[in-house]
Amino acid sequence: MTEFPDATPWKMYIGGEWVDALDGETHDVITPIDRNVVIATVPEGKEADADRAVKAARAAFPEWAGLPFKERQKLLIKCADALEAGSEELAELTALDTGNAIRTQARPETVILADLFRYMGGVAGEVKGTTLPAGDRQLQYTKRVPLGVVAGILPWNSPLMIAAFKTPAALAAGNTIVLKSAEDAPLTILKMAELLDGILPPGVLNVVTGKGSVIGEALNVHPDVDKLSFTGSTNVGRHVAEVAGRRLAHSSMELGGKSPNIIFPDSDDEDTVEQVLLSTRFARQGQSCTMGSRLFLHEDIYDSFLAKLVAAVKKMKVGDPRDEATDIGAIINEKQYDQVADYIEMGKSMDGVEIAYDGHGELNVGEPGFYHAPVIFSKAQNDWQTSQEEIFGPVLSVIPWKTVDEVIGMANTNEYGLAAYVFTKDLDSALTMADRIESGWIQVNQGGGQLAGQAYGGMKNSGFGREASLEGMLEGFTQIKQVNIRIR
């Protein structure tokens, strides 16, 4: 597969209109499938463009917030219908824009996008207050009211899925939103806005493009942005939270991870291998903050399970993400490609390391894109950099363990706390691990992704806030107003 579409000029979506940057500047979008191919140009948004997007969202807010919930509900469900109808177009563009394989990642991403619009439409009527029995001639009640204008800062690894976590929840609660798409993968978010154009009132949903350090920062400091909802690296998230905090804006942070993946002796079987393979996020090139990148294998099954896992990984095809046969697509850009390569070399240099699998010798992609095959480091130690730092590439560290206390200690010896995976047939062991592991999202005997309605989010340096559930929508996108009335 070598054909690419001609470079298409896209515009930003502000106030229900498609607009260029005010200064007319653009930047090229290069597909990770082939580093020499420009597939689109998008506006290079600046501070003034952020300001007009925020103004459009602010102007639309009173009417949107004042709608009966049933009206917002109907519109969100119409959005879900439109996204489902356009799902294949979104999936094809995702493969081209992000390098994520169409079968293993791009299509599932479009499913959760439509699912969350439909789910949030369904629970829009749950934005309720309470009454207090304060006695005769007293009416004391609370109202949950929207925050106002939300700025959603999106990453490049799974733009549609992360937009799904933020956008429908913010809108269901009565907020308006400005989405800042990732500089390296802006097209699917613009396409999402195109599919929803004409359904939502002008200004309710806005999409801007440009550098995070420029237009993203402009949204962060804007006095009329009431909440920053950020997904990205911990270092950048720490800055966003600090800046937002200085002006007492609301914020939520979904940041990095180095997730433990713990296999008990009773789970040396093919079903566990299949689920562990899902948890490694190799099918997303390891470009996932929930990647189970530290695989803790009990010493009794270490060699047996690792052999099964390597055999399964060997069957995965690295290639053009548009190809239905491809399991693993392309790394997003040259900078990330080089970073992953540096970590691989670092891991190979560690004393005592064994290379259980290195697929680079079998790579035969054919196009000059950013392709990395999986690498599995065996007999790794938990304190190695490759075992402690987020690589964001298809690199797995496999670490032996003996006792439950030992593996829990290793699992928790890390700055992150986003996801964790435990595989055991013993319910007591499962509950013990779920209770003691320091992580915001723990899966037992499964390795798949998030579902609509789950309270997904991190602990420790993996961030704070939950947005993709009913509870998360209420906590993340509303605030409580207490009203006390003395009846005369």
Side-chain angles (χ1 to χ4, degrees):
M1 242 182 213
T2 55
E3 293 185 2
F4 296 94
D6 293 334
T8 302
W10 289 75
K11 296 186 178 186
M12 293 186 288
Y13 186 65
I14 297 177
E17 297 181 354
W18 294 96
V19 299
D20 294 313
L22 285 170
D23 64 6
E25 285 195 28
T26 64
H27 76 258
D28 294 338
V29 179
I30 298 171
T31 177
I33 300 171
D34 188 324
R35 66 187 73 191
N36 301 313
V37 175
V38 175
I39 55 172
T41 60
V42 298
E44 186 70 61
K46 306 287 195 322
E47 291 88 345
D49 300 295
D51 183 61
R52 62 175 171 163
V54 172
K55 285 179 177 175
R58 177 60 63 190
F61 172 66
E63 184 174 349
W64 179 252
L67 285 176
F69 84 87
K70 279 199 152 188
E71 296 305 312
R72 287 201 297 271
Q73 184 177 67
K74 289 176 184 176
L75 292 175
L76 288 173
I77 291 173
K78 284 184 69 175
C79 288
D81 291 341
L83 294 170
E84 280 184 352
S87 61
E88 188 62 19
E89 197 173 2
L90 281 169
E92 291 172 358
L93 188 57
T94 294
L96 192 65
D97 193 26
T98 68
N100 289 332
I102 191 166
R103 174 176 52 82
T104 58
Q105 174 60 25
R107 287 199 188 100
E109 197 173 334
T110 67
V111 170
I112 196 168
L113 176 66
D115 282 352
L116 271 163
F117 266 89
R118 197 173 303 284
Y119 171 82
M120 288 299 172
V123 299
E126 297 303 312
V127 185
K128 299 174 180 177
T130 60
T131 59
L132 181 69
D136 292 342
R137 309 191 70 79
Q138 280 287 331
L139 175 59
Q140 296 186 8
Y141 65 94
T142 62
K143 293 181 65 177
R144 280 197 174 270
V145 297
L147 301 177
V149 175
V150 175
I153 313 296
L154 304 178
W156 43 254
N157 59 324
S158 298
L160 289 177
M161 183 172 71
I162 305 304
F165 291 165
K166 304 178 188 301
T167 309
L171 299 184
N175 303 279
T176 55
I177 193 166
V178 179
L179 293 177
K180 190 272 170 189
S181 61
E183 183 181 2
D184 287 301
L187 303 185
T188 53
I189 302 303
L190 292 170
K191 185 64 183 178
M192 181 187 80
E194 182 181 290
L195 291 171
L196 302 184
D197 188 19
I199 298 175
L200 298 170
V204 170
L205 169 66
N206 308 272
V207 178
V208 296
T209 55
K211 292 183 174 65
S213 59
V214 179
I215 194 167
E217 185 72 358
L219 291 170
N220 197 16
V221 302
H222 200 292
D224 220 16
V225 169
D226 300 290
K227 175 176 178 174
L228 270 297
S229 177
F230 175 84
T231 300
S233 72
T234 294
N235 286 338
V236 177
R238 186 176 288 114
H239 167 76
V240 172
E242 288 173 354
V243 172
R246 284 200 293 269
R247 60 184 187 85
L248 300 181
H250 298 259
S251 65
S252 59
M253 301 286 137
E254 199 251 289
L255 308 175
K258 192 70 177 178
S259 303
N261 204 331
I262 301 169
I263 319 301
F264 276 70
D266 64 359
S267 296
D268 184 19
D269 52 56
E270 292 297 336
D271 177 72
T272 302
V273 170
E274 180 181 342
Q275 293 299 319
V276 166
L277 199 58
L278 288 175
S279 73
T280 65
R281 307 295 190 252
F282 282 165
R284 288 172 59 182
Q285 303 80 256
Q287 295 180 146
S288 169
C289 47
T290 62
M291 177 186 182
S293 53
R294 292 184 293 155
L295 180 60
F296 294 99
L297 288 182
H298 192 275
E299 61 178 13
D300 290 351
I301 61 167
Y302 190 96
D303 293 334
S304 173
F305 189 91
L306 184 57
K308 293 185 184 71
L309 181 64
V310 168
V313 173
K314 284 181 177 179
K315 296 176 183 178
M316 300 184 78
K317 178 185 176 182
V318 181
D320 190 317
R322 299 169 296 176
D323 190 337
E324 294 288 344
T326 293
D327 298 294
I328 303 171
I331 299 289
I332 187 67
N333 57 30
E334 186 172 14
K335 178 183 177 182
Q336 187 64 25
Y337 177 90
D338 290 343
Q339 177 175 297
V340 174
D342 289 344
Y343 271 110
I344 291 172
E345 291 307 307
M346 180 192 301
K348 289 179 177 179
S349 72
M350 301 306 292
D351 186 32
V353 71
E354 297 179 9
I355 312 298
Y357 180 70
D358 182 355
H360 286 82
E362 304 168 19
L363 266 181
N364 185 26
V365 178
E367 291 163 338
F370 303 113
Y371 293 95
H372 268 300
V375 175
I376 301 176
F377 294 130
S378 177
K379 303 297 173 66
Q381 295 182 25
N382 194 50
D383 61 356
W384 290 354
Q385 275 186 264
T386 46
S387 302
Q388 286 292 308
E389 297 178 3
E390 186 174 43
I391 297 172
F392 231 58
V395 181
L396 183 66
S397 295
V398 188
I399 304 167
W401 64 278
K402 297 180 181 179
T403 70
V404 168
D405 286 343
E406 175 193 26
V407 75
I408 289 174
M410 289 192 292
N412 290 340
T413 304
N414 191 266
E415 67 174 305
Y416 298 113
L418 185 57
Y421 306 88
V422 176
F423 292 88
T424 177
K425 296 180 174 69
D426 181 70
L427 182 59
D428 183 66
S429 296
L431 293 173
T432 297
M433 301 300 284
D435 186 55
R436 295 180 63 186
I437 292 173
E438 298 166 354
S439 178
W441 183 47
I442 297 175
Q443 295 211 78
V444 177
N445 296 329
Q446 57 190 350
Q450 303 89 335
L451 299 175
Q454 291 182 341
Y456 165 72
M459 296 179 176
K460 302 196 288 190
N461 283 353
S462 289
F464 52 86
R466 310 286 189 271
E467 296 176 343
S469 63
L470 169 59
E471 297 81 7
M473 179 264 281
L474 295 175
E475 294 170 10
F477 293 108
T478 71
Q479 55 191 339
I480 294 174
K481 179 185 291 188
Q482 174 73 44
V483 181
N484 293 359
I485 301 174
R486 182 171 71 91
I487 301 172
R488 300 178 66 184

